[in-house]
Amino acid sequence: MPKHLPTHLDPRSPLVLDTRELPRRPGVLRTVKRVVPAPEDLGLELIGVPVGADLSLDLRLESVSEGVLVSGTVSGPLRGECGRCLRQIDDSLTVEIQELYAYENSTTDETTEEDEVGRLQGDLIDLEPALRDAVVLALPTNPLCRDDCPGLCPECGVHWDELPADHSHQQIDPRWAGLSQLTRKEE
């Protein structure tokens, strides 16, 4: 008796793969290339894939003794904001994906925890959890618009790139103002 309760998958869903045409003989291979809309919440707080954006799937479905091994790449656009200067980031992402989906009542199905290995539900594979894991784990937690982004001035909030080199908000205590004249003379 399997330890998990399968949920009903819609074979028309873009992230559900049908394996009926993939014989259950180890070594048999089929390729899947398709463009699907990105699901909701595919990202982190500051960056992610926009909902409904085109994700390109280039996958191999390989029949193995315990199930179907899905591997390949997922590519799509990224949108977010820089963690330092809050400028918009428009980029793209390509990630590798590899997941084993165990046949029902296989040794792998019966000897692994529900969250360790994916499961085929009849002839259907739900690709969304593996896709979500691959994409979200590849995203930076603190995205930058560029590697050397200087960020914002903490006092006035203007981009450091747009400020003059001598920009300062230094407030001199009037009791020490005379000493500041000494440093100017040295310069």
Side-chain angles (χ1 to χ4, degrees):
M1 182 79 179
K3 296 176 270 203
H4 59 283
L5 298 172
T7 57
H8 178 69
L9 293 178
D10 181 0
R12 296 170 294 182
S13 174
L15 290 173
V16 172
L17 305 176
D18 191 342
T19 64
R20 279 182 287 179
E21 294 181 16
L22 182 69
R24 291 189 175 198
R25 285 190 322 260
V28 177
L29 176 74
R30 297 283 187 264
T31 59
V32 174
K33 291 184 184 212
R34 64 169 74 158
V35 176
V36 299
E40 289 185 24
D41 299 323
L42 189 57
L44 301 172
E45 186 175 339
L46 292 177
I47 194 163
V49 178
V51 175
D54 287 345
L55 291 176
S56 297
L57 306 179
D58 186 3
L59 306 172
R60 294 172 21 140
L61 280 62
E62 185 175 356
S63 187
V64 295
S65 60
E66 290 295 311
V68 176
L69 180 65
V70 177
S71 57
T73 59
V74 177
S75 304
L78 283 179
R79 184 161 300 131
E81 63 183 27
C82 178
R84 288 186 189 158
C85 71
L86 306 178
R87 286 188 174 133
Q88 183 169 323
I89 297 173
D90 289 307
D91 203 356
S92 62
L93 174 77
T94 299
V95 294
E96 297 285 326
I97 187 170
Q98 185 169 31
E99 183 83 16
L100 173 66
Y101 291 88
Y103 292 132
E104 198 172 326
N105 299 321
S106 68
T107 304
T108 301
D109 181 43
E110 294 175 357
T111 60
T112 59
E113 296 294 322
E114 184 176 347
D115 59 349
E116 285 183 78
V117 173
R119 305 289 199 275
L120 267 95
Q121 294 179 21
D123 291 320
L124 302 177
I125 291 174
D126 184 7
L127 189 62
E128 186 174 342
L131 178 137
R132 186 173 298 283
D133 288 348
V135 170
V136 172
L137 289 174
L139 295 174
T141 54
N142 189 23
L144 300 176
C145 58
R146 63 180 206 261
D147 289 338
D148 63 342
C149 176
L152 304 173
C153 171
E155 296 293 325
C156 63
V158 176
H159 293 270
W160 279 113
D161 288 344
E162 299 168 4
L163 294 170
D166 62 344
H167 176 74
S168 173
H169 293 279
Q170 186 175 3
Q171 300 274 336
I172 298 176
D173 185 329
R175 296 172 292 177
W176 299 97
L179 291 175
S180 68
Q181 300 302 319
L182 293 174
T183 58
R184 285 192 189 136
K185 288 178 185 176
E186 289 177 13
E187 292 172 357

